[in-house]
Amino acid sequence: MTDFLRSLDIVTSFTLWLDNSALSLWVISNPYLWPALESVHFLGLSLLIGTVGLFDLRLLGFARNIEPKTLHRLVPLGVLGYGINAVTGALFFVGDTGQYVYNAAFHFKMLFMLLTGINVAVFYLTIYRRVEGVEAEGHPPTLAKLIGGLSLLLWLGVITCGRLLTFYRP
């Protein structure tokens, strides 16, 4: 129990320090910054889901007239979207730590993001080379279909928890 209380003290100290940082004060004191960040965050999400989601759907058998390697060329745009969301998300966190640190929706969002990262690693370490060789009208291997479906479900979890953040404030 003592270790748990110490960890709470560390979290509290960290959030107090972050809340009083120049970056936090800049984020919360600028009335136009938060709405601008929301818009940019949405654009990043659109890039991410629009490209990675499309690739995942192809893995599941949709749009079979397109070769997976052709759609895979769009994945760097999804990575760009992820980067945009990482930066804007970090600024949201810095701007209002209390909304995130003690919010179960945020914890689940981070869990889904971690699982998504693991899913991506499994894809590239196990089956990507075989998917790259699938021709138009071809069927990806079953493992690729499972990974693509899981990817879509995990990203849906990230998006859902992101929306729930504003409804479940600690």
Side-chain angles (χ1 to χ4, degrees):
M1 184 65 157
T2 307
D3 290 337
F4 176 72
L5 293 176
R6 269 193 224 123
S7 67
L8 284 179
D9 285 343
I10 292 169
V11 170
T12 302
S13 297
F14 175 70
T15 57
L16 285 173
W17 172 80
L18 202 53
D19 285 339
N20 292 304
S21 69
L23 184 58
S24 177
L25 296 174
W26 176 68
V27 170
I28 61 172
S29 66
N30 186 332
Y32 303 106
L33 185 58
W34 197 279
L37 289 173
E38 289 277 2
S39 296
V40 173
H41 198 73
F42 181 77
L43 290 173
L45 179 64
S46 297
L47 277 173
L48 174 63
I49 299 304
T51 57
V52 174
L54 185 60
F55 183 73
D56 289 339
L57 287 171
R58 175 57 182 100
L59 292 179
L60 288 171
F62 294 94
R64 271 186 248 192
N65 58 331
I66 304 171
E67 293 178 345
K69 67 181 174 186
T70 301
L71 286 177
H72 191 266
R73 287 187 222 150
L74 298 175
V75 169
L77 290 174
V79 173
L80 173 64
Y82 182 86
I84 289 168
N85 281 2
V87 170
T88 55
L91 289 171
F92 290 141
F93 183 85
V94 167
D96 191 1
T97 56
Q99 180 178 333
Y100 298 95
V101 171
Y102 303 106
N103 192 325
F106 177 71
H107 299 166
F108 279 108
K109 180 178 179 175
M110 293 297 104
L111 175 64
F112 285 131
M113 288 178 66
L114 173 67
L115 294 173
T116 300
I118 292 168
N119 193 51
V120 168
V122 168
F123 175 73
Y124 283 105
L125 293 172
T126 61
I127 200 77
Y128 170 68
R129 292 287 172 216
R130 289 185 50 208
V131 168
E132 200 176 33
V134 173
E135 300 292 326
E137 301 300 329
H139 297 276
T142 302
L143 179 59
K145 291 178 182 182
L146 290 172
I147 290 172
L150 183 58
S151 174
L152 288 172
L153 287 174
L154 290 171
W155 282 118
L156 182 62
V158 169
I159 293 167
T160 301
C161 289
R163 285 302 304 137
L164 291 175
L165 276 169
T166 59
F167 295 104
Y168 297 104
R169 294 180 182 261

